[in-house]
Amino acid sequence: MIGAARAVAADAVSYLVTAWCTLCIRSPEAAPSPRAEKPSLRSEIRLAYTWRHPLVGPLVTTNAITSTALAGTNPIWIVYLIVPA
């Protein structure tokens, strides 16, 4: 085993290598094209696209259902953790 201190040091070194590699990227970014008019927030969000997309729609729906179920079950955990058996 390498030990906890060496593992943390290796993790820090990996972050430094990642930062160095990111700084070495020298790709120029194209300037965005100017818009004729400022779109509304509703058109920017485009929920219709999200729901109709074959991959994104089911993922968003599943995430919404799972988050709602977890938010409903979290208060029950308090009862089980506080009340002694």
Side-chain angles (χ1 to χ4, degrees), residues 19-54:
W20 179 75
C21 289
T22 303
L23 289 173
C24 288
I25 297 174
R26 298 288 180 215
S27 177
E29 186 173 333
S33 59
R35 294 184 175 185
E37 61 184 44
K38 184 177 178 184
S40 67
L41 181 62
R42 174 171 257 159
S43 66
E44 286 283 329
I45 294 175
R46 301 269 314 223
L47 286 178
Y49 170 77
T50 303
W51 296 118
R52 285 185 295 204
H53 193 275

Side-chain angles (χ1 to χ4, degrees), residues 1-82:
M1 299 293 160
I2 64 171
R6 289 185 182 149
V8 171
D11 191 36
V13 169
S14 73
Y15 279 108
L16 290 174
V17 169
T18 302
W20 179 75
C21 289
T22 303
L23 289 173
C24 288
I25 297 174
R26 298 288 180 215
S27 177
E29 186 173 333
S33 59
R35 294 184 175 185
E37 61 184 44
K38 184 177 178 184
S40 67
L41 181 62
R42 174 171 257 159
S43 66
E44 286 283 329
I45 294 175
R46 301 269 314 223
L47 286 178
Y49 170 77
T50 303
W51 296 118
R52 285 185 295 204
H53 193 275
L55 184 63
V56 177
L59 287 175
V60 169
T61 305
T62 304
N63 190 17
I65 293 170
T66 304
S67 296
T68 304
L70 289 175
T73 58
N74 280 341
I76 298 173
W77 279 100
I78 295 173
V79 175
Y80 287 116
L81 294 175
I82 293 178

